[in-house]
Amino acid sequence: MSRVRWLWVLIAGTFLMAGPSAVSAAQFDKVIEGRQQLMKDIGQAGKGLRSATAPASVAASADELAEALAKINADTFPKGSADGSRAKPEIWEQWDEFAAKAKNAVTLAQDIAAKARAGESTAELVKSFGKNACGSCHRPFRKPKQKS
Ligand code: HEC
């Protein structure tokens, strides 16, 4: 091997040793910021759904919600990304349960969209959506708001 190559091996080795922990902590910061923004968008879409009256707008808001809620997954909640966020460690201890809550929320939003398109009443579903879709996951899996 040439001396230049050895130098590269040395440099690469130094980078590897610099620590995966520092790298992953920074990665989590970004992912946490991203998913908190996702939740804020979901909150906005939820408001849109509650204030919609025409069936077409109800359906459109519900579609938007379903799409956003489908992003609650292992990409937005990578294992262990709890520190500095309101995500409880239980999320990863009971991942199937957490994933089921996310899926349930998507299904509920899709139901509302389908009913609105079919001309059926959605008022009751919309009313209970916050509790059934959002609250049912927040209660077990979200820490209370930090007082700052
Ligand atoms: C499958 C679980 C799950 C579902 C479903 C869910 N959330 Fe969340 N939500 C969380 C978790 C966990 C956090 C904390 C995330 C963090 O701090 O990184 C959160 C945080 C939030 C926040 C705070 C964001 C911020 O500013 O930091 C809002 C607002 C929110 N959710 C709204 C909603 C609404 C509205 C719904 C329903 C339409 C919903 N969520 C459905 C798990 C869920």
Side-chain angles (χ1 to χ4, degrees):
M1 229 191 268
S2 73
R3 271 174 65 183
V4 178
R5 277 227 201 139
W6 273 114
L7 195 64
W8 278 115
V9 169
L10 210 73
I11 291 171
T14 312
F15 268 107
L16 285 176
M17 284 190 312
S21 60
V23 172
S24 57
Q27 263 175 357
F28 282 163
D29 279 356
K30 237 183 143 179
V31 96
I32 287 169
E33 208 176 291
R35 76 172 174 232
Q36 289 179 340
Q37 186 56 51
L38 170 68
M39 285 293 172
K40 283 188 185 117
D41 294 345
I42 290 174
Q44 280 303 316
K47 275 187 197 146
L49 176 67
R50 282 196 300 278
S51 60
T53 45
S57 353
V58 172
S61 301
D63 279 346
E64 200 186 319
L65 263 172
E67 205 177 303
L69 286 163
K71 292 182 190 152
I72 302 177
N73 56 30
D75 290 336
T76 47
F77 285 88
K79 195 161 195 224
S81 59
D83 282 358
S85 85
R86 289 172 67 194
K88 283 193 186 171
E90 281 85 342
I91 290 175
W92 299 281
E93 288 157 17
Q94 303 159 29
W95 180 260
D96 289 351
E97 181 82 3
F98 180 77
K101 301 272 187 207
K103 189 159 183 283
N104 174 56
V106 173
T107 306
L108 286 173
Q110 286 170 339
D111 276 357
I112 293 174
K115 285 217 160 62
R117 290 208 166 87
E120 291 170 35
S121 164
T122 53
E124 283 305 310
L125 282 179
V126 170
K127 215 170 123 191
S128 55
F129 186 74
K131 184 164 150 261
N132 294 342
C134 321
S136 78
C137 183
H138 288 162
R139 243 176 290 116
F141 292 121
R142 185 172 72 162
K143 292 180 214 158
K145 217 166 193 161
Q146 304 283 319
K147 295 222 168 69
S148 47

